[in-house]
Amino acid sequence: MAKVTKKDGDAYFKEKESFLRDLQHFHETRGTPCRHVPKIGGKEIDLYLLYCLVTSNGGWVKVRICIN
């Protein structure tokens, strides 16, 4: 996945871990803890990669419009 984001493997891993800690904290402070990693077709979704791809393509609004 580092190839997609054009980051070296170590940097990607560190940023992903930080992102997931921040996401967990976000949910905990709002009383909506994330208890498991989301899956599609039995495969775990890399939420950090999804975040990187959406933000690099203009954010949720632009990506949502492309899907519709």
Side-chain angles (χ1 to χ4, degrees):
M1 297 307 147
K3 290 180 186 177
V4 174
T5 60
K6 298 180 181 161
K7 299 177 184 182
D8 69 71
D10 289 335
Y12 180 83
F13 179 76
K14 288 178 183 178
E15 290 176 19
K16 179 179 175 178
E17 291 298 312
S18 178
F19 173 82
L20 292 174
R21 275 193 305 275
D22 290 347
L23 181 62
Q24 183 178 9
H25 181 260
F26 172 83
H27 281 286
E28 287 174 354
T29 59
R30 283 153 184 79
T32 58
C34 213
R35 293 190 173 85
H36 63 280
V37 177
K39 296 179 182 183
I40 294 178
K43 296 178 82 173
E44 290 187 359
I45 299 170
D46 184 339
L47 294 175
Y48 179 61
L49 177 60
L50 178 62
Y51 171 78
C52 289
L53 292 172
V54 170
T55 56
S56 69
N57 284 288
W60 178 79
V61 172
K62 287 196 175 188
V63 172
R64 182 182 61 87
I65 290 171
C66 291
I67 294 172
N68 289 334

